[in-house]
Amino acid sequence: MALPTRRLGSLTVSAVGLGCMGLSHGYDVIPSAEESARLLNRALDLGVTMLDTAALYGGGANERLLGGAVMHRRSEFTLASKCVLDMVDGKRVLDGSPAAIARTLDAALARLCTDFIDLYYLHRLDPNVPVEESVGALVRAREAGKIGAIGLSEMSAATIRRAHAVHPIAAVQSEYSPFSRNVEIAVLDTCRELGIGFVAFSPTARGLLADAIRDDAWAAGDLRRTMPRFTGENLAHNLRVGAAFNAIAQECGITPAQLSLAWVLAKAPFIVPIPGTRRIAHLEENLVAATIALDDEATARIDALFTGDAIRGARYSAAAQAQIDTERFPGE
């Protein structure tokens, strides 16, 4: 099966990719390796040609999962992973030094059972290391034949420009959905100007725009229990906005998840959303969005619904936000 394609720098990928984090990290239930392998292979069968992972996810478990599940089909997909954020001795570490990047990359290649990663991101900006030094480490890895394209994750327009001056950046990855619009401040315009692709993670707002959240009874390991938007009165308010979004989806004859993904895809031809899921039925539902042409009226209604301070609560906790370089709206 073939999906429409889009460009990320020199890479051509399916218009909708697959974010693999949730198969090993971040949410309430981690599926078995067998279930995850079935989902990953079904994604490839359905024409997904971009799989996104990171050293951080599950402390290497997610890369190891892909290494065991799909590397026999290595020629069928673009492999993306990330460094700088890592797990060391069971603790989350932010280290953008060239030495740390080299260690993380070599460990990732071993876990992934490959000798080449097509797109390798700096997962976060390390404020203690000039971004030029971190990008320089990736340039050397590229020259050594270990990686192909270079990417950045959750970085500001100013940082993107600094990095791009060292080496052309193929893709910038950040959160983007009708619910989370920070990249509209400056990042999307910068990507458009410099010819950089944009990869949208959490394009269904961590499930809220997929009609998958009812309350804040999060399991102990669920990231959303630490995110102000997904707890208490903030969540109660945001769910009411979500209900209005669901009504638009019903009028369009599609699911809320498909509407959110179609909205992201309609924003620019250089945007590739990478929704994650643990269920094959949801995977199949999401991929339909690659063929949905959202009309201007529906797009305008969604934009109006989420305008201004319609959403309450910050994207991240104060501690997590300290590692985010992307621009913020007033009050965040």
Side-chain angles (χ1 to χ4, degrees):
M1 177 177 176
L3 292 174
T5 60
R6 293 193 169 191
R7 299 278 294 179
L8 298 174
S10 62
L11 301 169
T12 300
V13 301
S14 53
V16 176
L18 180 66
C20 301
M21 182 187 82
L23 300 176
S24 307
H25 177 100
Y27 297 114
D28 53 352
V29 177
I30 302 301
S32 68
E34 292 76 17
E35 291 172 312
S36 296
R38 282 196 291 273
L39 184 138
L40 289 164
N41 280 281
R42 181 60 175 157
L44 298 182
D45 292 343
L46 292 171
V48 171
T49 64
M50 182 177 183
L51 302 181
D52 183 275
T53 182
L56 179 69
Y57 302 159
N62 200 242
E63 290 179 327
R64 201 172 295 114
L65 170 67
L66 268 64
V70 292
M71 287 304 150
H72 64 292
R73 304 177 66 173
R74 182 67 183 88
S75 64
E76 297 179 38
F77 63 92
T78 292
L79 173 63
S81 193
K82 311 177 193 74
C83 59
V84 177
L85 279 181
D86 204 347
M87 295 288 285
V88 179
D89 297 328
K91 295 181 180 179
R92 175 175 166 138
V93 172
L94 174 72
D95 191 342
S97 68
I101 288 172
R103 286 194 301 270
T104 298
L105 173 57
D106 286 343
L109 291 168
R111 288 189 294 259
L112 287 161
C113 302
T114 187
D115 59 3
F116 186 78
I117 296 172
D118 301 289
L119 173 59
Y120 206 48
Y121 292 92
L122 301 179
H123 204 159
R124 293 290 188 272
L125 176 66
D126 182 348
N128 298 313
V129 179
V131 71
E132 290 85 354
E133 290 186 19
S134 299
V135 173
L138 296 188
V139 173
R140 290 188 290 276
R142 188 175 187 277
E143 291 169 346
K146 296 181 179 182
I147 68 171
I150 294 174
L152 309 173
S153 177
E154 288 280 39
M155 297 197 191
S156 66
T159 302
I160 293 166
R161 291 182 184 280
R162 287 172 57 191
H164 193 72
V166 176
H167 186 279
I169 301 301
V172 170
Q173 180 174 147
S174 285
E175 183 175 2
Y176 189 43
S177 72
F179 191 81
S180 296
R181 311 279 284 270
N182 297 70
V183 296
E184 293 180 356
I185 298 172
V187 166
L188 288 180
D189 285 342
T190 300
C191 288
R192 183 180 289 106
E193 176 190 339
L194 299 178
I196 298 171
F198 182 83
V199 176
F201 75 77
S202 297
T204 66
R206 303 184 189 276
L208 192 143
L209 297 184
D211 197 25
I213 296 174
R214 299 291 179 268
D215 54 45
D216 62 357
W218 305 116
D222 198 306
L223 291 172
R224 291 168 291 190
R225 69 181 298 168
T226 70
M227 296 175 172
R229 290 184 173 180
F230 292 95
T231 57
E233 289 301 317
N234 287 338
L235 178 61
H237 169 84
N238 295 337
L239 284 173
R240 290 192 288 272
V241 180
F245 180 82
N246 295 346
I248 297 173
Q250 185 173 16
E251 291 177 29
C252 292
I254 57 180
T255 69
Q258 289 167 345
L259 180 62
S260 190
L261 290 165
W263 179 92
V264 171
L265 286 162
K267 283 295 174 176
F270 57 85
I271 296 176
V272 175
I274 51 167
T277 183
R278 295 162 296 179
R279 299 181 183 179
I280 289 176
H282 289 168
L283 167 72
E284 294 171 347
E285 173 190 341
N286 290 342
L287 295 182
V288 171
T291 61
I292 294 173
L294 201 61
D295 62 43
D296 292 342
E297 180 185 357
T299 301
R301 289 179 64 190
I302 295 167
D303 288 341
L305 179 62
F306 290 93
T307 192
D309 59 355
I311 297 303
R312 294 182 184 170
R315 283 205 296 147
Y316 290 104
S317 67
Q321 184 63 55
Q323 296 183 348
I324 304 296
D325 185 49
T326 310
E327 291 82 358
R328 293 186 238 177
F329 289 107
E332 280 193 294

